[in-house]
Amino acid sequence: MYDHTKYRTFAETGMRRREFLKGIGPGAAGLAAAASLPAAMADDSFSSSTGAAKPVRIPEHLPRKLSISAWLWHWLIACAPGEPYNDLDRVFAEHVERNYNCIRADVALNWAFDQQARPRGPIDLVQWIPRYSSNLRGVFGKGGLRYDALDRVIKMFEMAKKYNVYVIATSWEYQDSTTHLADPKLREDVFSTPLAQRFERLATMHDALIKELKKRGLHTQIAFVEIHNEVDASEFPPDLMIQKGLIEKQLTRLQQAHPDILFTADYGGPTPFTKQFPGYFCLPDNMQVADHHIYTLGVQGTLHELTNTWLGNQVPPDPKDNPLLRSIIGEKPTVSWSDFTVQASRVRRIWWPLMWFFANINDPDRYDSWMYEHYGESASMMRSLIEGHLRTWGKYARHRGLPAVVDEGYIFYPPRNSRFEDSAAGRRIFDLVVDTAMEEGYWGVMLSTYIGPHESMWTENPEWIKKTNQRILDAGKV
């Protein structure tokens, strides 16, 4: 089993988010600071960044606007009979019904290829946290699967072509998807590549996959390629300037090999609204898409802070000592910390407190009730952060001559059966994202990370999804 303690980057990122939350939390001072966030976009924090030699042109065969659905790596694990992604033909038909023309999916690079970019053949997959994944969003697949990942990815692209849907090809392998590999030797193989060489390994596999797709005439369904999800919050060298040179080298390699496809890096957090951000000059000069995420944390982050269940290395408190935690999970946890951590041994340590908390939520109404009661204390900050972040990235994209895409967000990570993000309160946040992104001329927008075939809103409110996606598509007709 690989040693999570050897890889520092995401733990450090978790601390950055915690510090950010404390610095711009729901208190009076935090809200006052948040109210000024849109003004911060006047700061030319990217003024010293290199402008693109010439504007990046979106290939003619791609849509003028992308309405993006969140598949992440969940489509690779929740695909047994009866699970959301078992019938890809049906899933793509449902996307078209809801006015989606793009999906963002892990393309199983290390699952499909070995280090020499040779097809691996069948692999075995396991559940995220055995016995305790049912209340976790997205990763609840029951495991026990065995299939050829390359065959499955190709099948996905065949369905995408059939339904005229495009794919943002990405990877979560140096964040979380590797957890699902049953073979400990394969998990160790993924992480055996030194931090500084991982972008090269990913580029080799992206190249191998694209060649397989080109053999079949399926490459035209690629919207663009992210070398990896959230390179600033994954297991790579933590310094953004060191990352910059490593990523630029591999983007150049891929762009030269496949000039008909757009390649970029994907970012979870670089923004002038975090004190650690040195400036947009730290981003690769040869990115072809200004691709980013926004997680406000807001009311949910406050709940985790108050219950001591935020991302990190702490042991969750005893409910007897924390009235708020006790009000949500009861007097005695139904899942003990000791048993949970044994079952979660493959999962990054940083996730344990939050996921232990969720595993103990037997009544999601208690969680949602607190969120509804306290949302107003954070709403202004959350909305200001979203608007300011989108406007600043939009300005940066125009400066660089790049299409802009926001394809994850926008609160954080709720328990599976929570309905807060599905509610009118959550949908207003998503509406703000769409409105602001369209005003800023964004090419692509994901309505929410928690709207997809494996999510409750997919079947409970398809009309809102369809209507809101139509607003994105209509903006491309102007």
Side-chain angles (χ1 to χ4, degrees), residues 269-290:
T271 165
F273 309 138
T274 54
K275 62 183 179 182
Q276 297 85 0
F277 180 60
Y280 282 103
F281 61 84
C282 67
L283 306 185
D285 290 337
N286 58 347
M287 290 196 309
Q288 292 177 308
V289 180

Side-chain angles (χ1 to χ4, degrees), residues 291-470:
D291 181 13
H292 71 106
H293 306 161
I294 307 172
Y295 284 101
T296 66
L297 308 184
V299 62
Q300 185 186 354
T302 299
L303 176 58
H304 288 300
E305 287 289 313
L306 294 174
T307 56
N308 194 31
T309 57
W310 182 234
L311 307 181
N313 294 322
Q314 76 277 18
V315 175
D318 189 319
K320 294 193 295 291
D321 302 322
N322 190 307
L324 176 56
L325 182 64
R326 185 168 65 247
S327 73
I328 295 175
I329 71 172
E331 295 283 344
K332 183 178 181 180
T334 57
V335 178
S336 72
W337 178 253
S338 59
D339 187 49
F340 178 85
T341 56
V342 169
Q343 298 300 322
S345 61
R346 288 177 289 102
V347 176
R348 285 184 303 158
R349 175 67 175 78
I350 195 170
W351 281 112
W352 288 4
L354 182 148
M355 292 193 170
W356 173 87
F357 176 38
F358 286 1
N360 278 290
I361 296 177
N362 299 308
D363 181 358
D365 285 351
R366 294 186 180 188
Y367 174 94
D368 280 351
S369 177
W370 193 93
M371 294 282 283
Y372 290 126
E373 288 175 12
H374 295 273
Y375 171 59
E377 300 166 14
S378 298
S380 177
M381 178 274 284
M382 294 167 71
R383 293 176 67 84
S384 293
L385 181 61
I386 284 171
E387 185 176 4
H389 198 145
L390 286 166
R391 294 201 188 285
T392 304
W393 267 85
K395 186 176 181 180
Y396 164 70
R398 289 190 295 275
H399 171 76
R400 286 283 307 275
L402 303 177
V405 170
V406 57
D407 54 12
E408 264 197 49
Y410 297 93
I411 302 176
F412 189 56
Y413 177 79
R416 182 182 179 192
N417 294 313
S418 168
R419 292 296 183 269
F420 180 78
E421 296 210 16
D422 302 22
S423 71
R427 295 196 308 274
R428 285 199 68 192
I429 291 174
F430 308 151
D431 281 332
L432 177 66
V433 172
V434 173
D435 290 343
T436 309
M438 292 303 98
E439 289 173 8
E440 292 295 318
Y442 272 61
W443 179 32
V445 178
M446 180 180 286
L447 296 187
S448 165
T449 308
Y450 305 107
I451 300 175
H454 54 284
E455 297 289 351
S456 53
M457 192 184 288
W458 193 259
T459 54
E460 293 176 5
N461 203 345
E463 285 304 313
W464 181 87
I465 298 171
K466 180 178 181 179
K467 177 183 68 175
T468 311
N469 276 332
Q470 190 62 54

Side-chain angles (χ1 to χ4, degrees), residues 166-183:
Y166 297 84
V167 179
I168 299 172
T170 189
S171 171
W172 276 262
E173 299 190 57
Y174 291 108
Q175 270 194 346
D176 293 302
S177 64
T178 301
T179 296
H180 293 276
L181 297 173
D183 185 349

Side-chain angles (χ1 to χ4, degrees), residues 183-202:
D183 185 349
K185 292 182 180 179
L186 182 50
R187 296 197 301 272
E188 181 61 39
D189 173 75
V190 173
F191 282 91
S192 67
T193 300
L195 294 180
Q197 297 174 25
R198 291 179 180 178
F199 293 119
E200 181 179 5
R201 176 172 179 162
L202 290 164

